[in-house]
């Protein structure tokens, strides 16, 4: 996209599909099978979790709440059902799938390898929109109807007060 280009859409995913030129660019989604591609790290994840629990129990620092959360986590992320995740592939400008989203931000991890591709793509696109909004890039602004109305009011007030305002460069000079 070029400077000052606008994209409007009926959903977060629609905007991201337009910006990413989805379907015309090489960007797509893939299921990264962690257990297959890096079995040692996959196994280490579970061993570390089990070791941490044993250590805390040994130190008498493991509560009933900890155990409940542990069992819940074990059910949702077992060796059999937590084998990998969906991610974007063929990203632009040297981005890797691992650095597309900010570290420490909670994104829904899509771990079902049988999830329909279109559903995966939409969810990753929605997460991308949220990421861009959160990072507050100066290059990208995200608006909803309320914030765009506020921006237009601001520009109109600037215009009335004779200040420079967005869009002035596209108007014909008054003679």
């Amino acid at each position: 996209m070029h400077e000052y280009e606008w994209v409007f859409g009926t959903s977060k995913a629609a905007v991201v599909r337009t910006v990413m030129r989805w379907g015309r660019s090489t960007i797509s989604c893939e299921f990264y099978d962690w257990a297959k591609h890096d079995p040692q790290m996959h196994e280490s994840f579970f061993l570390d979790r089990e070791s941490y629990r044993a250590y805390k129990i040994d130190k008498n620092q493991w509560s009933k709440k900890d155990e409940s959360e542990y069992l819940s986590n074990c059910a949702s992320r077992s060796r059999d059902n937590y084998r990998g995740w969906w991610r974007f592939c063929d990203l632009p400008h040297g981005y890797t799938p691992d650095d597309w989203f900010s570290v420490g931000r909670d994104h829904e991890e899509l771990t079902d390898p049988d999830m329909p591709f279109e559903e995966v793509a939409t969810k990753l696109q929605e997460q991308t929109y949220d990421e861009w909004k959160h990072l507050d890039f100066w290059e990208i602004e995200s608006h909803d109807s309320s914030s765009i109305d506020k921006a237009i009011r601001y520009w109109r007030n600037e215009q009335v007060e004779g200040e420079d305002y967005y869009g002035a460069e596209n108007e014909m000079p008054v003679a």
Side-chain angles (χ1 to χ4, degrees):
M1 296 197 58
H2 301 288
E3 194 171 9
Y4 297 113
E5 281 189 295
W6 289 73
V7 173
F8 294 90
T10 56
S11 68
K12 294 175 182 181
V15 169
V16 171
R17 279 193 300 270
T18 300
V19 172
M20 295 174 79
R21 292 175 170 80
W22 196 262
R24 293 188 317 260
S25 68
T26 60
I27 301 169
S28 189
C29 303
E30 67 181 1
F31 185 79
Y32 175 71
D33 191 332
W34 186 31
K36 176 182 174 186
H37 295 295
D38 195 352
Q40 188 174 2
M41 286 304 293
H42 181 257
E43 181 61 19
S44 289
F45 173 83
F46 298 101
L47 293 175
D48 287 349
R49 183 173 68 182
E50 293 158 5
S51 175
Y52 177 76
R53 176 179 177 258
Y55 172 80
K56 289 296 208 172
I57 289 172
D58 186 51
K59 296 289 183 188
N60 204 22
Q61 297 174 339
W62 195 253
S63 69
K64 288 181 181 182
K65 180 182 178 211
D66 292 331
E67 183 67 9
S68 175
E69 289 174 0
Y70 175 82
L71 292 174
S72 174
N73 195 296
C74 286
S76 64
R77 288 185 166 190
S78 70
R79 284 173 174 84
D80 293 328
N81 69 10
Y82 186 56
R83 299 189 48 82
W85 51 87
W86 284 93
R87 64 186 189 176
F88 284 125
C89 58
D90 297 321
L91 291 163
H93 304 294
Y95 278 102
T96 68
D98 295 331
D99 64 16
W100 185 250
F101 294 117
S102 297
V103 174
R105 293 249 316 137
D106 287 335
H107 294 97
E108 178 187 1
E109 204 171 31
L110 310 176
T111 60
D112 178 0
D114 299 320
M115 189 175 200
F117 182 83
E118 287 305 317
E119 184 179 348
V120 168
T122 297
K123 285 185 178 276
L124 289 175
Q125 291 158 355
E126 289 169 346
Q127 290 176 10
T128 297
Y129 181 95
D130 291 339
E131 176 79 3
W132 290 346
K133 189 166 182 124
H134 169 76
L135 291 177
D136 196 26
F137 288 129
W138 67 269
E139 298 98 342
I140 298 175
E141 290 186 32
S142 302
H143 291 281
D144 57 20
S145 61
S146 173
S147 65
I148 199 69
D149 286 344
K150 182 179 175 183
I152 291 170
R153 278 192 306 275
Y154 172 80
W155 295 328
R156 294 281 186 227
N157 287 338
E158 292 290 297
Q159 181 183 31
V160 166
E161 294 184 19
E163 300 292 329
D164 193 24
Y165 59 93
Y166 182 82
E169 67 279 2
N170 297 319
E171 294 180 354
M172 298 295 287
V174 177

